[in-house]
């Protein structure tokens, strides 16, 4: 017996060792691959950080170079035009630049040796670093070393040439470099730093104070290259931490960027993976040891069983005889079948044996080949014989026989022996039971809807179908051990018992279906409509239940109801749903209508994602405020509505709203200050219905915007003013239809000689009493109602007709400028209207010009650029009006196809004696000329202003000193008079 046990144990040992080696090799390969992948990913990330920081640094250096180069250009102009005043003018220009650019500590004019020429501090080391290798991006900016400040900090020296033997020496604060490396995703111990090639550290993301200390370890820089270098794992020169390093040493500026991710942080997940792999391998070894022990025990038990079987063979033969179980055997070559006397008597056989083929000839045709195959497999020792087949008796009867047998090897040779039992009656009974079972399963178990039967008295499950098991996650055995209470929440058990009582009193009636909450095995709940009917099952009062899952349908209905009452973008109530809820609740309440000016401008200027971030931030603030004081709704565009319901203090809610709306909103990369305008109305003081109160709160908000206040409460005078605006809008529409408007024209003259350059068309609305309604009283109303599009089209056509009349009097070369609003620019075919008016009146290209304000452009800079480019392509000149009073983005302004810009009259006033206005005008003149634009000054009302503008190079002027707005006939007469005088 020991030899029989040793062979399988040896096989198991060899197999287990092979599997252990394979598992170890696979885990090692996976660990090596994961380690390499993490290193590669970290190296790519550090290179991306270095490359991104390089782009940001280039942008900062370019900005600094443009600022200093602009100052140098102004200085050259001052020394060229007014040498005696040049130092003072340059000092004023530098002072203004330092105020606008906090990143510049000082700017001084020095000679080639670094000596100061007009105040300030020089730098004696200047000749040592104004070398070609220190030029930034082949531009005019040269970068030097670090210099300590009196405050204990450090600045970076930089210089740009102004003119021969003169340089502008700037000291740049290191905060500009610290911004480049701040806020980057480097992990807890990752670092990005900037340094100069002479070893000075300019910025450090992990330790900003490091710029004040020398590097404890020297950093050897490779030669400059256009590519970012991957240095692999190295110790950082600042703190010695092992990091995965990337280094950028650009050719075109004398700085370097060092970006590195912590090796320990990158590899922390890999180490966890390593420990898990070791644990898996140890777990396998433990499992294999347990398996080996089990196999050895099983082999010993199998040997004992074999001995017991041999000892009980005789007892088995005796049992067959007593139990009238027939036996049979096949011996020798397997061609003959032998059976016992009991077998022969049971089946009416004449002989004690027969050939195998003769025996198979009495087997039913459908079972013969299968029995032959089973006998062959059993004879070959492949498996034991266990089969039921049909046997034809000598008298023609058909019997079902169950035969079992297995091969036994002995000294006499191979032998197949077994027993046979007549199971005909058993199979007939089983067939009847199976048919009944089949019919039941067809009606119950196979039904796709969840069904079960439960005892009405005990609530115990008696039967359950497959659909219910799949729906609830329990097996049939688990179900049958449970009650109805186990699939219902505990708080609904009383309802279950009441339903049981209803079923007992129902006398067989089907109970009305109701929606109930059920619970699955995993704890999740869902909504069910239970259809129940009373019945008798196995002699017990029971209830048949169909559980219809209606969760999705009810969720869909609730979702539809939610979508009908909530805004999809914000999740807040719609104004209509808010009104319905307020009317349904009844009682008094106060409405706070909030207009947030600037919200749409964020989207138009910075993009949809930035606008969405700001909107969601305000939704979070105002939604929480509404939850504390009542309800919050959203009116798409820029308006929120907070309803302060009964029981809450409206004044406290208003103060909280003012605080929330006035606090700057943080976007992705910047903060945004929105301008709130709040209208207040209450029920029942300002209306009985919610829609009335909401409308009057909105009127109050509009009034707050018009009056320039933050909060406005509704009163009856607002309604009257609103009615007046509506009446005025109707009068404007009739005036357009009746051609009541007219144009007056104000000349714009060349500053040098006073000759006319352009006529600006100004809209006038004459009244029957001989007066005029000022444009300020109706233009804004036209923009609010959309009438400005129709009115603007009339102005363009009238200006074209006026230009045609000018041409008839010999002034074909004098263009007319038309003012255009933001509504026209973004909501009409402006190009088509100008082209149509020009062609209809036979005008030459450039006969009509366009004026628009810079605030108008910034509503949607991208769309404005497209419209202006199309106008420019058709020869229509564009002038930027009121320049300097808006919020222009220079990044857009420098690309707009403009022809001229107009300095607002507020800067021209007192320009000859107000230094601040004079400085602004000089700056605007310099900016316009640097962009190649014609600069026009508005509001020139006295000779001193005109003389100052002429002296400072203003191109064109406009104002009452040079001509007031007048009808076209008077303009033509004035032009003729000026021509005769010339």
């Amino acid at each position: 017996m020991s030899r029989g046990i040793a062979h399988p144990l040896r096989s198991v040992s060899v197999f287990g060792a092979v599997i252990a080696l394979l598992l170890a090799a696979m885990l090692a390969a996976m660990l090596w691959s994961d380690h390499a992948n993490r290193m590669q990913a970290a190296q790519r990330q550090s290179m991306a950080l270095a490359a991104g920081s390089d782009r940001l640094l280039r942008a900062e250096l370019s900005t600094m170079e443009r600022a200093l180069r602009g100052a140098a250009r102004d200085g050259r102009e001052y020394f060229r035009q007014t040498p005696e005043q040049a130092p003072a003018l340059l000092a004023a220009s530098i002072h203004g630049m330092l105020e606008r650019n906090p990143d510049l500590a000082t700017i001084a004019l020095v000679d080639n040796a670094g000596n100061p020429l007009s105040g300030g501090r020089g730098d004696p080391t200047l000749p040592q670093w104004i070398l070609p290798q220190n030029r930034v991006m082949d531009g005019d900016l040269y970068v030097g070393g670090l210099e300590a400040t009196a405050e204990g900090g450090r600045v970076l020296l930089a210089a740009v040439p102004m003119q021969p033997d003169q340089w502008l020496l700037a000291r740049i604060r290191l905060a500009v470099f610290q911004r480049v490396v701040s806020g980057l995703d480097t992990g807890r111990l990752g670092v990005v730093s900037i340094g100069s090639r002479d070893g000075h550290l300019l910025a450090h993301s992990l330790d900003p104070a490091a710029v004040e200390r020398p590097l404890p370890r020297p950093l050897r820089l490779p030669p400059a290259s256009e590519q970012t270098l991957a240095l692999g794992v190295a110790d950082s020169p600042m703190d010695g931490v092992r990091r995965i390093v990337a280094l950028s040493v650009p050719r075109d500026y004398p700085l370097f960027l060092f970006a590195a991710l912590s090796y320990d942080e990158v590899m922390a997940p890999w180490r966890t993976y390593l420990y898990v792999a070791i644990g898996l391998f140890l777990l396998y070894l433990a499992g294999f040891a347990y398996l080996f022990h089990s196999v050895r025990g099983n082999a010993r038990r199998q040997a004992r069983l074999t001995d017991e079987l041999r000892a009980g063979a005789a007892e088995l033969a005796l049992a067959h005889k007593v139990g009238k179980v027939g036996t049979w055997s096949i011996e020798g070559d397997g061609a003959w079948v032998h059976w016992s006397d009991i077998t022969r008597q049971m089946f009416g056989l004449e002989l004690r044996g027969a050939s195998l083929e003769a025996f198979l000839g009495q087997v039913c045709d459908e079972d013969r080949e299968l029995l032959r195959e089973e006998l062959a497999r059993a004879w070959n020792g492949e498996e034991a014989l266990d089969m039921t087949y049909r046997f034809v008796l000598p008298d023609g009867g058909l019997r079902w026989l169950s035969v079992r047998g297995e091969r036994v090897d002995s000294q006499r040779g191979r032998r197949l022996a077994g027993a046979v039992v007549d199971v005909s009656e058993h199979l007939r009974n089983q067939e009847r039971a199976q048919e009944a079972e089949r019919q039941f399963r067809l009606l119950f178990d196979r039904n796709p809807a969840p069904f079960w039967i439960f005892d009405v008295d005990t609530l115990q499950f008696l039967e359950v179908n497959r659909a219910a098991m799949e729906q609830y996650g329990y097996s049939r055995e688990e179900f049958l051990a449970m009650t109805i209470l186990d699939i219902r929440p505990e708080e609904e058990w009383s309802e279950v018992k009441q339903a049981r009582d209803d079923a007992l009193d129902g006398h067989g009636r089907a109970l009305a279906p109701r929606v109930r909450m059920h619970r699955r095995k995993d704890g999740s709940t869902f909504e069910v409509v239970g259809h129940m009917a009373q019945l008798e099952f196995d002699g017990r009062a029971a209830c048949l239940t169909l559980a219809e899952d209606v969760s999705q349908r009810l969720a869909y209905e609730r979702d539809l109801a939610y979508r009908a009452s909530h805004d999809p973008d914000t999740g807040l109530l719609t104004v209509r749903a808010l009104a319905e809820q307020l009317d349904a609740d009844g009682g008094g309440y106060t409405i706070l209508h909030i207009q947030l000016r600037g919200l749409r401008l964020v989207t138009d200027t910075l993009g949809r994602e930035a606008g969405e971030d700001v909107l969601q931030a305000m939704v979070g603030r105002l939604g929480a405020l509404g939850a504390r004081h009542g309800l919050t709704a959203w009116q798409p565009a820029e308006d929120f509505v907070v309803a302060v319901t009964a029981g809450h203090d409206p004044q406290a809610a208003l103060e909280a709203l003012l605080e929330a709306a006035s606090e700057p909103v943080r976007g992705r990369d910047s903060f945004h200050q929105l301008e709130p305008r709040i209208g207040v109305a209450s029920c029942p003081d300002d209306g009985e219905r919610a829609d009335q109160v909401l409308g009057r709160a909105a009127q109050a908000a509009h009034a707050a915007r018009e009056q320039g206040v933050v909060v406005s409460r509704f009163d009856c005078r607002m309604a009257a003013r609103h009615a007046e605006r509506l009446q005025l809008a109707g009068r404007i529409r009739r005036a357009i239809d009746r051609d009541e408007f007219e144009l007056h024209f104000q000349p714009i003259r060349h500053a040098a000689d006073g000759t006319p350059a352009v006529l600006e068309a100004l809209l006038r609305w004459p009244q029957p009493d001989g007066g005029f309604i000022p444009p300020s009283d109706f233009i804004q109303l036209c923009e609010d109602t959309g009438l400005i599009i129709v009115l603007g089209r009339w102005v363009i056509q009238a200006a074209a007709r006026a230009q045609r009349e000018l041409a008839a009097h010999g002034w074909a070369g004098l263009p007319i400028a038309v003012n255009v609003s933001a509504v026209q620019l973004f909501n009409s075919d402006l190009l088509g209207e100008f082209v149509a008016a020009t062609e209809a009146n036979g005008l030459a290209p450039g006969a009509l010009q366009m004026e628009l304000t810079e605030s108008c452009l910034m509503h949607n800079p991208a769309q404005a650029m497209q419209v202006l480019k199309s106008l420019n392509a058709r020869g229509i000149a564009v002038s930027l009006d009121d320049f300097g009073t808006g919020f222009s983005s220079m990044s857009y302004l420098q690309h707009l196809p403009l022809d001229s810009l107009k300095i607002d009259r507020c800067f021209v006033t007192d320009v000859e004696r107000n230094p601040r206005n004079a400085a602004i005008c000089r700056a605007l003149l310099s900016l316009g000329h640097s962009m190649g634009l014609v600069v026009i000054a508005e509001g020139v009302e006295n000779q001193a202003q005109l003389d100052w503008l002429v002296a400072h190079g203003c191109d064109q002027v406009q104002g009452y000193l040079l001509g007031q707005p007048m009808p076209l006939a008077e303009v033509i007469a004035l032009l003729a008079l000026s021509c005769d005088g010339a």
Side-chain angles (χ1 to χ4, degrees), residues 485-504:
L485 299 179
D486 294 324
I487 64 169
R488 296 293 299 277
E490 186 174 354
E491 59 270 15
E492 297 183 4
W493 285 2
S494 60
E495 178 189 353
V496 176
K497 295 175 182 178
Q498 181 62 45
R500 186 265 310 276
D501 296 339
D502 293 340
L504 290 175

Side-chain angles (χ1 to χ4, degrees), residues 581-594:
Q581 186 165 341
L582 291 174
D583 286 335
D585 295 343
Y589 52 84
T590 299
I591 299 297
L592 307 178
H593 188 108
I594 312 100

